[in-house]
Amino acid sequence: MMVTTDDERDMTIEWLSVPRIGEVIALVGTGVPYVAPRTRSDYWLYATLFSTTCPLAVVEGQVVGAVIAFRSQDHPEDIYLQDVVTHPSHRRRGITRALIDTIAERGRLWGCQRLYLTCAPDNHNAQKAWTTLGFRNLPGDRTIDAVSVITDVKGPGATRAVYERRLL
């Protein structure tokens, strides 16, 4: 589908596909240290079983933004955003908003009630993006740098801020 943002006039949104895996791995590598690429096998799984919650932003034939997300099987009203990345040379142009809005639209069609994600407590740029995009920082068990976090939410040593955006 063709999408126009403020600065990306000829951007298309497509779903993750096997032929795009190499580009997605390279793109996700630009998100280090907060987002790191996974294996080709992982992305094959995402493209094969979860593609309709994994939109890509494509400009001039190149993948410049991606979201890897999953609808919960245990709580089908939820969609978890695992990785969100926009190429550094395309940031602040509405790409992340277009990708998140694409997932939100899909979620509403399915009757989902929320999108949610976790974020490192020191990833201040991402935190600003989440609040700008309508996410709210959920209460946790402590505060780090004025952000509420949940200790060990993703396992030992993985303290994260949790953000949600209601879809209703």
Side-chain angles (χ1 to χ4, degrees):
M1 82 184 86
M2 180 65 78
V3 175
T4 300
T5 68
D6 292 339
D7 294 326
E8 297 290 2
R9 308 226 186 285
D10 295 319
M11 181 177 71
T12 59
I13 302 290
E14 62 185 59
W15 302 114
L16 177 60
S17 62
V18 172
R20 292 283 196 186
I21 289 173
E23 289 180 86
V24 172
I25 289 172
L27 174 66
V28 174
T30 68
V32 171
Y34 298 110
V35 180
R38 298 172 201 291
T39 68
R40 289 189 73 81
S41 179
D42 291 327
Y43 289 104
W44 175 88
L45 176 76
Y46 308 153
T48 304
L49 299 178
F50 300 101
S51 66
T52 57
T53 53
C54 298
L56 307 177
V58 179
V59 174
E60 297 179 0
Q62 300 295 310
V63 175
V64 298
V67 175
I68 304 299
F70 310 98
R71 184 177 184 194
S72 174
Q73 292 181 352
D74 294 335
H75 300 280
E77 68 276 9
D78 291 343
I79 296 176
Y80 177 72
L81 308 178
Q82 176 177 284
D83 294 330
V84 179
V85 64
T86 298
H87 191 279
S89 65
H90 290 267
R91 291 182 182 155
R92 299 191 176 282
R93 297 183 184 181
I95 291 171
T96 299
R97 177 180 299 280
L99 292 169
I100 298 293
D101 288 349
T102 297
I103 295 171
E105 181 181 323
R106 176 61 50 102
R108 284 186 201 96
L109 289 172
W110 289 338
C112 296
Q113 297 176 14
R114 74 175 182 148
L115 306 177
Y116 76 106
L117 57 91
T118 62
C119 182
D122 64 341
N123 192 345
H124 304 292
N125 289 334
Q127 293 164 10
K128 183 178 178 184
W130 305 140
T131 57
T132 299
L133 294 171
F135 287 80
R136 71 180 186 95
N137 181 210
L138 296 180
D141 56 21
R142 63 188 171 120
T143 301
I144 298 175
D145 293 336
V147 176
S148 185
V149 299
I150 300 174
T151 304
D152 300 335
V153 69
K154 293 182 90 174
T159 296
R160 300 285 186 271
V162 178
Y163 287 84
E164 79 168 5
R165 177 172 153 184
R166 303 301 296 179
L167 296 178
L168 303 176

